[in-house]
Amino acid sequence: MAHMHNHHEPEGADLADAAKATLERAGEQWTAMRASVFEALAGFEKPASAYDIADVMSKSQGRRVAANSVYRILDLFVGANLARRVESANAYVANAHPNCMHDCIFLVCDKCGQTTHIDDDRLTGAVRDAAKGAGFSPERPVIEVRGRCAACAAN
């Protein structure tokens, strides 16, 4: 049986507060722009690209927000564990438990795009061990499983 984690996952303002505290512990400032990017990212039901986030922010702020600025902030967020990158989609999801470090396992639905993040330390530990056994130093394992979510598989 896999070693799974169940976390209390903050939402809304509590999630933004957890993200802010995590970023500040990393020695970074929680600016208005960073707060806006996180709020927009957390508002998506599916992984969002920097362009998706910039579009939402531009509409809500009544001014153009450049995707390049959003990319820089998303890179910071990934490094600080506030967001996760879905590599195959070049998109991001807000990390629902930014205080907890885990390697990523994403279940990506090819039909609707829904992406679920799960934690399984035994599986990701085995991937890290296999990489080390091959003389490779893993830094950020990301596992993506493509297929159909339960809702799409039923249709």
Side-chain angles (χ1 to χ4, degrees):
M1 182 165 170
H3 182 249
M4 303 291 281
H5 291 282
N6 292 315
H7 299 278
H8 162 70
E9 295 188 354
E11 296 177 2
D14 289 341
L15 179 57
D17 289 345
K20 178 180 186 246
T22 300
L23 192 64
E24 289 175 343
R25 274 194 305 278
E28 297 286 345
Q29 293 182 359
W30 186 255
T31 64
M33 179 70 166
R34 291 174 180 175
S36 294
V37 169
F38 190 81
E39 179 183 350
L41 176 62
F44 281 91
E45 293 289 320
K46 297 177 185 172
S49 72
Y51 291 95
D52 295 333
I53 294 165
D55 186 50
V56 166
M57 291 176 62
S58 295
K59 289 175 182 170
S60 71
Q61 296 179 10
R63 64 178 183 88
R64 184 180 172 278
V65 175
N68 286 344
S69 299
V70 173
Y71 269 119
R72 283 191 293 277
I73 293 170
L74 289 170
D75 285 343
L76 173 70
F77 285 178
V78 168
N81 201 40
L82 305 184
R84 303 292 189 149
R85 185 167 186 261
V86 180
E87 303 287 338
S88 64
N90 192 25
Y92 301 82
V93 295
N95 185 357
H97 42 92
N99 295 323
C100 214
M101 285 296 280
H102 293 284
D103 294 327
C104 291
I105 303 171
F106 288 117
L107 308 177
V108 182
C109 181
D110 288 326
K111 187 171 181 184
C112 73
Q114 184 62 44
T115 301
T116 303
H117 172 234
I118 60 172
D119 296 321
D120 185 330
D121 291 335
R122 286 190 189 167
L123 179 59
T124 57
V127 170
R128 282 180 172 276
D129 290 345
K132 289 174 188 172
F136 189 80
S137 298
E139 293 188 18
R140 191 177 50 90
V142 176
I143 300 169
E144 295 184 22
V145 180
R146 307 287 307 206
R148 300 252 172 134
C149 68
C152 290
N155 292 330

